[in-house]
């Protein structure tokens, strides 16, 4: 049986080593709290410094981070939000709960990120937000996006789940827009014990709302008022609620809040992983370079690479081929050689839920054509051993050779020619 390209024990891109095991051992053998303690605070502070944001607030998953970020928008019926179709469903799923108009923006065929040229016609006087993704770890064209949105007062959320370790003209995803979210799922560039998320932003008032929402408090509107001291019970300093209950009144409720507290164990591992980020991303880039070298010998293929001045984090390694027959034949050849190729992600506007909301074929023609005809992903993560990478490179070379022998020399897709879109 052919060897499959998965890390022993499961499909995960993260690598847990001695450093992570050491911090876990120190935590559980101490008398420190296992929730909302010093490790979480240290992780958040280090993360904020890393991305260059004023605030970093941890939560239990990337999905929860997105849910809370969207709640900060205070969207009302009739508001409009522009989103990308080229992402995992969690990026925009919270919008299904809201009575808002969602507009899908087509993608740039070279990066698979939201295309600013397609974004501009979708903006109306009802547009309140744009939610984009740094697909695969390649940052979107943020200068162009922000130039369109900032003068109009439109909030931009950057889903940076793929992009930790990427760079954008000297800056980092997480501080390129108004709000950013990250995922620390076990497949991501760092992990916090399998699940975890982070929200980064600069606004102090939003940061306070995030804290209240994740810490089982109400995200409400309050006014201070005087209290008759006789009404308040005698309280010791550590007792909860005395000030909140007796010294202020609630004038409105935005959201009820929930418990989305990252555990101390998760935060400790996350901090250790953040310290190793350069090493982990360097490994991804090394694997990507080797795959690029293979594709360079076959002119009918094109890797999805970062533009000049942009550093790709390679959460995903994506490339394009000339047409659907070639793609399907290549998938079969790779599978026969034990390579687990993927197609990420199915265009969201064509899923049953978004069809129910009125979306359908033809809305994002570039995204549709690339996914159905040309798009492929290959394994690319630090959990791959050197021998697995060697075998992956050999298998890709053999599969492309076999497909080329059957289909003939493909048209060159480099440089954004018509075949690539």
């Amino acid at each position: 049986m052919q060897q499959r390209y998965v890390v022993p024990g499961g499909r995960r891109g993260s690598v847990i080593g001695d450093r992570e095991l050491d911090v876990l051992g120190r935590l559980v053998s101490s008398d420190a709290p296992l929730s909302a303690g010093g490790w979480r605070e240290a992780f958040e502070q280090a993360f904020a410094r890393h991305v260059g944001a004023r605030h970093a607030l941890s939560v239990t998953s990337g999905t929860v981070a997105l849910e809370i970020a969207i709640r900060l928008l205070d969207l009302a019926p009739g508001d409009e939000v522009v989103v990308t179709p080229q992402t995992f469903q969690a990026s925009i799923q919270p919008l299904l709960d809201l009575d808002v108009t969602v507009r899908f923006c087509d993608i740039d065929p070279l990066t698979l990120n939201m295309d600013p040229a397609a974004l501009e016609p979708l903006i109306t006087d009802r547009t309140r937000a744009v939610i984009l993704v740094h697909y695969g770890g390649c940052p979107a064209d943020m200068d162009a996006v922000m130039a369109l949105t900032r003068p109009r007062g439109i909030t931009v959320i950057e889903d940076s789940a793929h992009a930790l370790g990427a760079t954008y003209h000297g800056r980092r995803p997480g501080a390129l827009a108004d709000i950013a979210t990250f995922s620390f799922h076990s497949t991501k560039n760092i992990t916090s014990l399998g699940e975890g998320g982070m929200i980064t932003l600069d606004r102090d008032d939003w940061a306070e709302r995030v804290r209240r929402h994740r810490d089982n408090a109400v995200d409400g509107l309050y006014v201070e008022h005087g209290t008759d001291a006789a009404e308040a019970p005698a309280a010791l300093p550590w007792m909860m609620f005395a000030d909140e209950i007796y010294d202020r009144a609630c004038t409105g409720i935005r959201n009820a809040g929930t418990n989305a507290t990252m555990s101390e164990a998760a935060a400790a591992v996350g901090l250790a992983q953040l310290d190793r980020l350069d090493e982990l991303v360097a490994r991804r880039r090394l694997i990507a370079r080797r795959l690029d070298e293979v594709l360079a010998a076959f002119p009918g293929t094109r890797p999805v690479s970062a533009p000049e001045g942009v550093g790709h984090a390679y959460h995903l390694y994506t490339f394009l081929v000339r047409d659907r027959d070639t793609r399907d034949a290549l998938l079969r050849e790779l599978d026969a050689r034990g390579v687990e190729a993927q197609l990420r992600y199915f265009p969201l506007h064509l899923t049953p839920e978004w069809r129910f909301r009125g979306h359908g074929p033809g809305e994002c023609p570039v995204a549709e054509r690339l996914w159905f005809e040309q798009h492929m992903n290959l394994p690319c993560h630090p959990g791959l051993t050197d021998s697995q990478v060697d075998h992956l490179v050999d298998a890709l070379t053999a599969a492309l050779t076999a497909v080329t022998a059957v289909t003939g020399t493909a048209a060159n897709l480099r440089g954004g020619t018509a075949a690539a879109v």
Side-chain angles (χ1 to χ4, degrees), residues 37-51:
W39 284 105
R40 184 182 75 167
E41 182 177 348
F43 184 30
E44 291 176 344
Q45 291 176 352
F47 201 91
R49 288 194 300 270
H50 175 80
V51 303

Side-chain angles (χ1 to χ4, degrees), residues 97-112:
D97 284 334
L98 304 175
D99 183 15
V100 297
T101 298
V102 174
R103 299 185 182 276
F104 285 91
C105 178
D106 214 346
I107 61 174
D108 182 332
L110 298 181
T111 65
L112 309 192

Side-chain angles (χ1 to χ4, degrees), residues 226-313:
T227 301
D228 183 345
E231 296 180 7
L236 296 173
W238 57 83
M239 294 181 68
M240 295 177 63
F241 299 129
D243 291 340
E244 293 187 10
I245 290 177
Y246 293 102
D247 293 342
R248 64 179 182 170
C250 179
T251 62
I253 297 173
R254 299 186 188 98
N255 295 290
T258 189
N259 179 8
T261 303
M262 176 178 282
S263 73
E264 285 292 274
V269 170
L271 182 59
Q273 288 265 293
L274 185 62
D275 287 342
R276 298 178 59 195
L277 178 62
D278 289 346
E279 162 204 339
L280 298 173
V281 173
R283 177 66 175 173
R284 290 176 180 271
R285 287 174 174 158
L286 183 150
I287 297 169
R289 283 196 299 272
R290 294 200 60 189
L291 296 174
D292 283 350
E293 290 168 0
V294 175
L295 297 182
F298 296 87
T301 64
R302 177 175 66 80
V304 176
S305 302
E308 185 176 356
V310 176
H312 202 310

Side-chain angles (χ1 to χ4, degrees), residues 40 46 61 63 72 85 109 123 179 227 232 245 257 268 270 296 301 328 330 383-384 416:
R40 184 182 75 167
S61 72
T63 298
L72 291 177
I123 294 175
I179 308 169
T227 301
I245 290 177
T301 64
D328 291 352
L330 186 56
L384 293 175

Side-chain angles (χ1 to χ4, degrees), residues 104 346-352 354-355 359-363 368 372:
F104 285 91
F346 186 83
L348 287 184
H349 64 292
L350 302 182
T351 61
W354 289 105
R355 283 176 179 261
H359 300 277
E363 198 166 339
E368 294 168 32
F372 285 105

